[in-house]
Amino acid sequence: MSAEPMAKLRQQYLSPYEVDCVIQKVIDAQLDNALLRVLDTTTGLLCDREAQIRIFKLSTEYMELLLSTITHRNIQVKRIEEVVTSCFQYVMLSHRWEGQELLLQDVQGKVVYKLDPVGGIKKLQSFCKTVRDLGHCWAWSDICCINKSNNVEHSESVNSMFDWYRHSALTIVYLSDVPLSAKPGTLAKSAWNTWG
């Protein structure tokens, strides 16, 4: 094959590096002002943003996106945004603090599913399992995803929570004082309604 047809052929394709750079820009935009940490519902481990990106880049979704985009000179940024948005969606837990709740230090480096299921741990395990069963990879709860010993992080997190809840794929509300077999009207009397 002569040089000219080969050059034309190369122009039809992008290098994996070029595509990865475009994908990384979309990821950076997606994670701008996003949660600092989330729980991986598959492994039960707490992950920071870098860990989320590593996990995504090892996923089937990333590889399919990379391979399908290499063969198109005109990168479809819209498609990349859809895949990235879908893969980085998270579910949030809304609840009332009760008794001894977990802290970041209690779960960091540990598998949530393997912790002794007492008190707040049982609530967190149930939440993560529910999120996983609903098909989502990332879960967030203020009890363990914020470093409360860092005043700057704590303050920024509190100020960002409205946006975080607004951008979540779903918010699960945990009502400890409303049994599954509750009578009509019980929900309205829940202590969660006075939270705020």
Side-chain angles (χ1 to χ4, degrees):
M1 190 178 275
S2 68
E4 190 174 311
M6 184 64 96
K8 284 185 178 182
L9 185 62
R10 281 192 189 125
Q11 288 177 350
Q12 295 175 17
Y13 296 92
L14 295 167
S15 73
Y17 175 77
E18 291 172 304
V19 176
D20 183 65
C21 287
V22 173
I23 295 171
Q24 187 61 52
K25 284 181 184 177
V26 173
I27 291 169
D28 292 343
Q30 175 74 25
L31 295 180
D32 186 40
N33 296 319
L35 305 165
L36 298 177
R37 286 172 212 83
V38 287
L39 289 156
D40 181 337
T41 62
T42 303
T43 64
L45 291 169
L46 192 63
C47 296
D48 61 14
R49 290 178 184 171
E50 289 76 28
Q52 275 188 283
I53 293 168
R54 272 193 313 275
I55 291 166
F56 172 65
K57 288 190 174 183
L58 292 172
S59 72
T60 305
E61 292 85 353
Y62 173 78
M63 292 309 295
E64 287 174 355
L65 185 61
L66 187 67
L67 293 173
S68 69
T69 310
I70 288 172
T71 58
H72 301 287
R73 188 71 193 154
N74 297 324
I75 292 182
Q76 298 176 348
V77 176
K78 192 77 169 159
R79 172 73 180 132
I80 294 171
E81 288 172 345
E82 289 169 0
V83 171
V84 168
T85 299
S86 174
C87 289
F88 284 89
Q89 283 185 334
Y90 56 90
V91 176
M92 297 185 73
L93 174 65
S94 180
H95 66 107
R96 286 182 51 94
W97 281 60
E98 300 172 321
Q100 185 65 30
E101 294 283 0
L102 294 170
L103 298 173
L104 173 79
Q105 296 78 8
D106 297 324
V107 298
Q108 203 160 28
K110 298 175 184 164
V111 176
V112 168
Y113 301 124
K114 293 183 178 180
L115 298 174
D116 190 19
V118 294
I121 296 170
K122 186 175 181 181
K123 174 175 38 175
L124 186 63
Q125 289 170 334
S126 176
F127 168 61
C128 288
K129 287 175 185 173
T130 300
V131 172
R132 182 185 63 206
D133 292 347
L134 291 171
H136 295 279
C137 297
W138 307 110
W140 185 90
S141 173
D142 62 340
I143 56 177
C144 64
C145 294
I146 298 173
N147 184 356
K148 292 171 193 66
S149 64
N150 180 324
N151 291 335
V152 173
E153 178 180 327
H154 187 247
S155 177
E156 288 176 0
S157 295
V158 169
N159 291 334
S160 300
M161 264 191 224
F162 176 78
D163 283 336
W164 293 346
Y165 276 102
R166 187 167 51 100
H167 291 108
S168 68
L170 177 70
T171 298
I172 294 176
V173 179
Y174 177 79
L175 304 172
S176 62
D177 59 345
V178 179
L180 290 176
S181 60
K183 295 179 180 170
T186 307
L187 179 61
K189 297 174 187 169
S190 173
W192 183 83
N193 291 308
T194 62
W195 176 73

